[in-house]
Amino acid sequence: MSLLMLEDVAAGYGDTDVVTGVNLQVGDREIVAVAGTNGAGKSTVVKAVMGLTPRLSGSVVFDGHELTRIPIEKRVSLGLSYVPQVQNTFAALTVLENLQVVERVANRSQRIKDMFDLFPALADRRRTAAGDLSGGERQQLAFARALMSSPRLSVLDEPSAALSPALTAQVFEQVRRCPEAGAAVLIVEQRARQAIEFSNRGYVMDSGRIVLTDTSANLLSNDRMAQLYLGQH
Amino acid sequence: MIWVDLANATINGIVIGLLLALPALAVTLVFGIARFPNAATGDFMTFGAYTVVAAKSLLALPLAIGVAMACALTALLSLFFYWWVFRALVRRSPVASLIVSIGIALVVRSTITFFAGQSQYTIEVPLVRAWNFDGVRIVPTDLYIAGVAVTALVLTFCLLHLTPLGRRMRAVADNMELARASGINVGRVMITLFAIVGFYCGLGGVLIGIKAVVLPELGWELLLLLFAAVILGGIGSPLGAIIGMLVFSVSQEIASLWVGASYKIVFAFFLLLGVLLLRPQGILGKVRAVR
Ligand SMILES: Nc1ncnc2c1ncn2[C@@H]1O[C@H](COP(=O)(O)OP(=O)(O)O)[C@@H](O)[C@H]1O
Ligand SMILES: [Mg+2]
């Protein structure tokens, strides 16, 4: 059985559903990418997994637990972590506080040390407010905050947004290493082709629906789909 | 002579500013964390002041115990209304909570009037002679009041910046969704918030009751000033609320050397408009770009 399983999920904000009929799985230690144009509903799907959409129907099962019945803050202890697309750090808190504030972390001080080893740039700026970090440092902090709880699944919404190619490569390298550390990854990416290259499988969304799903190798070799949805980078 | 008057007005302004900084801090904390302007703040102060009056006159308790009771009961009152109404309004527009808080203010005030009537009360403290330095007068009672207020304010900053609870409160203020996704129990944060806020309103109400007189409109009439001080200091900034309140009350006391009591508040609002013209975000407010 998959670690995360979405069955016939519909989710949205006001009176209507923005995404419908979503079926999606993430296996243990698997990296799964979600691609699609702007506004396709990718962020809405990952928010639905975290319980952050006002409207939600269908079933979201994580590690055997029906998530829709579990308060958001308890999902962390089940092994779920999340990096939102925007406002993904606590701007008014320092780098160190951003890591300390994560709840349900066993051996917190050791874990913070691990994070500073993993992201040395952050160690030098531990007393800086997250709002004053550069774009690259902030994305690293967002990622580090999500890894604090040693998650079994990290849900990342465009972790490379607004980063230079060099910094993007760095972030992707960290994502690629997650499975070794025991974490599966569900990643939404603008740089879809790059993301699918290091993923096991991918989903392509359009207008609130999943229009295509396959292994990464097949997605990349499907020329027409690649042209249509994955762009050149 | 003018310097002596100015010095006395400044001292008086600082004392009043420090004690009113407690409810101003309450306003800014609720605004920052629970995201609505709590119009019941003033009447929670009134409730605190009347609790001391009742404790002294009905139960003949000593002042210190009365003050402790006032802080505790106002904290409970604040918690009660959070649990009963504000909790359910968390996901609604802040306007809903604002309107409800105005209603709560009214209910608290009418209940007080029902039991205590319209008459004035005083909270008697042992009379001590003022120290006189060539006309500059310092009343020891004022020093106690200022000391209590400063202690409470310092403790708040320690709480906010040095404890895990304070860190969680600031995280919720900063980004509620991310806070929940980081495992923070927002409901629990709100409970401590409303308890602390009630405590401050109670304490501030008692202190202003000692400095002035206790009447049913005590807190309600201060509410506009509290909101204005919070805006002046920068909405959501705890230090800003304190600075805003100090600036306001010192300038009011100085203005009252020349203009009548009813005009000094007008003066304070001119000051607010002037500052906002130069710094729309308030003295310590931050303009945060929406990314
Ligand atoms: N908070 C929101 N409230 C209302 N509508 C929203 C909200 N967020 C996104 N939407 C709408 O949902 C649709 C899908 O958005 P989103 O899931 O963010 O797409 P993507 O992440 O693929 O770019 C868009 O049409 C967008 O306008
Ligand atoms: Mg998005």
Side-chain angles (χ1 to χ4, degrees), chain A residues 75-145:
Chain A
R75 298 179 190 203
V76 176
S77 42
L78 292 182
L80 201 54
S81 80
Y82 172 54
V83 175
Q85 184 173 359
V86 289
Q87 293 170 4
N88 53 18
T89 58
F90 299 105
L93 272 59
T94 64
V95 167
L96 182 61
E97 287 174 330
N98 264 275
L99 300 179
Q100 288 172 329
V101 85
V102 180
E103 295 286 306
R104 299 157 212 263
V105 177
N107 201 350
R108 195 181 311 237
S109 52
Q110 180 56 45
R111 196 68 194 145
I112 290 174
K113 270 202 204 97
D114 294 347
M115 288 303 122
F116 284 147
D117 288 343
L118 205 57
F119 303 94
L122 296 179
D124 303 332
R125 311 215 57 184
R126 65 180 75 202
R127 307 260 168 238
T128 309
D132 295 335
L133 296 176
S134 71
E137 290 165 339
R138 193 159 45 219
Q139 292 292 22
Q140 291 185 31
L141 177 59
F143 198 15
R145 191 194 50 71

Side-chain angles (χ1 to χ4, degrees), chain B residues 41-67:
Chain B
T41 309
D43 292 282
F44 285 177
M45 293 171 70
T46 316
F47 178 83
Y50 273 94
T51 307
V52 172
V53 170
K56 288 195 71 175
S57 60
L58 300 180
L59 306 174
L61 293 171
L63 180 65
I65 295 184
V67 175

